[in-house]
Amino acid sequence: MDELDKKLYNDLNLEIEVPGKLKKIIKEELQKERKKETHYSFSKIVITACVSLLVTTGIVYAGTVLTNNIWKEPEKVIGFYSEENKNQNIITESERARAMSKTEAESKAKELLKKFGHSNETIKLIELDSNPNNYELIWHIETNNKSIIEFEAEKGKSFSVFFESVLAKNIDNYRTTEEKAIKTAEKLCKKYGYFPNKYSDIEIRSNLVSQKDAYIWYADFSKKYDDMVNPFEKIKIGFIPEINEIYYFIVKDEEYDNNSIEVSKEQAEKIALDAEQQINTGYNIKSIYSNLDIAKMNGDAYARKVDYDQYYQERHSKNYSINDTIIYRTDSYIRKVWMVTIEYDTLNKDNTNVYDEYYTYYIDVTTGEIIGGNPIYYMTRLQR
């Protein structure tokens, strides 16, 4: 993983000078519309897809009766991907003990290669990685044909496969329609043992704005609960129409806690506004928006609260060193939350970017704790 990969993986908000093709990947999540889908590595697809892994602020609304609080002080890690940390091997023995063995991981990788028609490929790299935002472990495997496989290291229920070799074929002339693409995606899911009828939210898109010229199609099938999409229970598939070759296949299988609503919208907004009073952003609040949704605990809002200057510099400095990046690692609860979005008046302000326009707090609907945050949640929601 090069320094650019590390920066993107550590902080999706960092405004750095990146190659055009990576900017396009990031903007895909913000716009859900592409002028051209360029070819890129699987790790970057996963990085972009995981926009929700951003973070927290342990503040509690004083007027709410709290039971079974889930937030605890996060672990501060400086330079997660620095050479020093790499040499110290930050995965502990106890963490390794809960993961499947290297032999088991290799066996599972071979099963997935066979399942998707790539059994002729050989494994050239296998390593156990740690998620920088929480303590989840991931087995990462690469083959001699540039295929990449990743899966959750304990049980392997959530996985992703990416076959870059497909893009080297003459695929530019294959076409389909949106209606046919949905049906094809459903058939491909069933072919590999997954049933899209279990997922009530469907999103379909192509690699070009003009669908009649598109030659790669993407479908997301997500589980939905009371109008809330769980982004951690879904199937994501990228494929070439007509020949129906798989570009990538991602399965996320993480249920949320379905925690009860004990905190009102008005209480959640007060919690967020109280948190804002502790931060000197330099911006006036323009508006506030709130909605229910499902999110995973993370450390972004906490980082923003404890040292806003550091938080700001990491996201605005093009040359910010990966060695100085600070991450606050949390548990990985998936909860029902109030998404309270603060919109700022950034007009006539210098050195602003898209991440300065909004900030969304994750307010746990049961405990009233701030369990995460995300500066681009509201923009992605607008594009749905």
Side-chain angles (χ1 to χ4, degrees), residues 62-277:
T64 303
V65 177
L66 303 179
T67 57
N68 300 321
N69 291 0
I70 61 171
W71 172 258
K72 64 182 180 182
E73 195 76 10
E75 176 192 0
K76 179 180 180 179
V77 181
I78 302 175
F80 186 91
Y81 281 117
S82 66
E83 285 301 314
E84 181 181 356
N85 276 337
K86 181 179 179 181
N87 293 335
Q88 290 177 355
N89 192 354
I90 62 172
I91 300 177
T92 66
E93 286 303 315
S94 61
E95 287 176 327
R96 288 182 181 276
R98 73 172 194 257
M100 66 177 70
S101 68
K102 185 175 182 179
T103 300
E104 291 171 324
E106 184 173 358
S107 176
K108 180 171 180 60
K110 288 179 178 178
E111 288 176 8
L112 287 170
L113 286 170
K114 182 179 180 180
K115 183 175 188 174
F116 289 95
H118 291 257
S119 56
N120 60 326
E121 299 182 21
T122 57
I123 294 173
K124 71 171 187 178
L125 172 69
I126 179 168
E127 60 184 11
L128 184 63
D129 292 338
S130 180
N131 189 314
N133 297 291
N134 49 52
Y135 300 94
E136 296 171 352
L137 299 177
I138 299 169
W139 276 110
H140 174 90
I141 296 97
E142 299 180 12
T143 77
N144 64 321
N145 202 30
K146 298 183 179 180
S147 297
I148 296 182
I149 303 166
E150 291 186 338
F151 49 84
E152 174 266 313
E154 291 189 46
K155 298 179 180 179
K157 291 173 65 179
S158 296
F159 72 87
S160 35
V161 293
F162 171 76
F163 304 112
E164 190 168 346
S165 59
V166 171
L167 305 177
K169 300 179 180 180
N170 183 19
I171 62 175
D172 295 8
N173 296 321
Y174 295 111
R175 300 288 185 269
T176 193
T177 64
E178 181 174 317
E179 183 179 358
K180 289 181 179 179
I182 292 174
K183 291 180 179 180
T184 300
E186 290 174 341
K187 288 180 181 178
L188 287 171
C189 286
K190 292 176 183 177
K191 176 181 177 180
Y192 296 111
Y194 297 91
F195 302 96
N197 61 319
K198 295 181 179 181
Y199 302 81
S200 54
D201 187 79
I202 302 173
E203 182 181 357
I204 190 80
R205 60 195 183 277
S206 63
N207 70 313
L208 299 178
V209 173
S210 174
Q211 292 188 349
K212 65 182 181 64
D213 297 321
Y215 52 91
I216 306 176
W217 283 79
Y218 311 90
D220 294 357
F221 300 92
S222 305
K223 288 194 176 180
K224 202 171 184 177
Y225 303 89
D226 299 324
D227 294 326
M228 297 178 299
V229 172
N230 182 1
F232 308 100
E233 279 185 291
K234 67 163 49 177
I235 300 170
K236 295 171 67 70
I237 178 173
F239 62 95
I240 315 303
E242 295 190 76
I243 59 173
N244 297 341
E245 288 231 31
I246 296 295
Y247 176 21
Y248 64 76
F249 201 101
I250 301 171
V251 174
K252 296 184 180 183
D253 189 13
E254 298 180 72
E255 295 181 358
Y256 86 110
D257 288 347
N258 194 20
N259 46 309
S260 62
I261 300 176
E262 308 294 339
V263 177
S264 70
K265 174 183 174 182
E266 291 73 22
Q267 288 173 327
E269 289 178 351
K270 186 180 187 305
I271 295 168
L273 289 171
D274 286 348
E276 281 294 297
Q277 296 302 312

Side-chain angles (χ1 to χ4, degrees), residues 200-357:
S200 54
D201 187 79
I202 302 173
E203 182 181 357
I204 190 80
R205 60 195 183 277
S206 63
N207 70 313
L208 299 178
V209 173
S210 174
Q211 292 188 349
K212 65 182 181 64
D213 297 321
Y215 52 91
I216 306 176
W217 283 79
Y218 311 90
D220 294 357
F221 300 92
S222 305
K223 288 194 176 180
K224 202 171 184 177
Y225 303 89
D226 299 324
D227 294 326
M228 297 178 299
V229 172
N230 182 1
F232 308 100
E233 279 185 291
K234 67 163 49 177
I235 300 170
K236 295 171 67 70
I237 178 173
F239 62 95
I240 315 303
E242 295 190 76
I243 59 173
N244 297 341
E245 288 231 31
I246 296 295
Y247 176 21
Y248 64 76
F249 201 101
I250 301 171
V251 174
K252 296 184 180 183
D253 189 13
E254 298 180 72
E255 295 181 358
Y256 86 110
D257 288 347
N258 194 20
N259 46 309
S260 62
I261 300 176
E262 308 294 339
V263 177
S264 70
K265 174 183 174 182
E266 291 73 22
Q267 288 173 327
E269 289 178 351
K270 186 180 187 305
I271 295 168
L273 289 171
D274 286 348
E276 281 294 297
Q277 296 302 312
Q278 301 184 34
I279 303 170
N280 182 18
T281 64
Y283 304 131
N284 293 323
I285 295 176
K286 185 177 178 181
S287 300
I288 185 168
Y289 313 97
S290 303
N291 62 278
L292 290 170
D293 214 338
I294 297 170
K296 179 177 285 191
M297 178 182 284
N298 56 54
D300 195 73
Y302 185 84
R304 191 170 178 264
K305 182 189 74 143
V306 297
D307 193 343
Y308 182 76
D309 289 340
Q310 163 88 15
Y311 183 91
Y312 181 89
Q313 288 301 320
E314 286 187 18
R315 289 148 185 80
H316 289 76
S317 174
K318 295 179 180 179
N319 300 311
Y320 202 89
S321 173
I322 194 73
N323 296 327
D324 299 325
T325 300
I326 295 177
I327 301 171
Y328 288 91
R329 304 182 81 186
T330 70
D331 291 324
S332 53
Y333 292 105
I334 302 173
R335 303 277 286 183
K336 186 186 300 179
V337 299
W338 283 108
M339 293 292 199
V340 181
T341 299
I342 308 295
E343 181 181 8
Y344 302 101
D345 184 0
T346 59
L347 191 64
N348 300 322
K349 293 287 186 178
D350 296 329
N351 195 29
T352 61
N353 57 38
V354 294
Y355 306 114
D356 297 317
E357 296 179 24

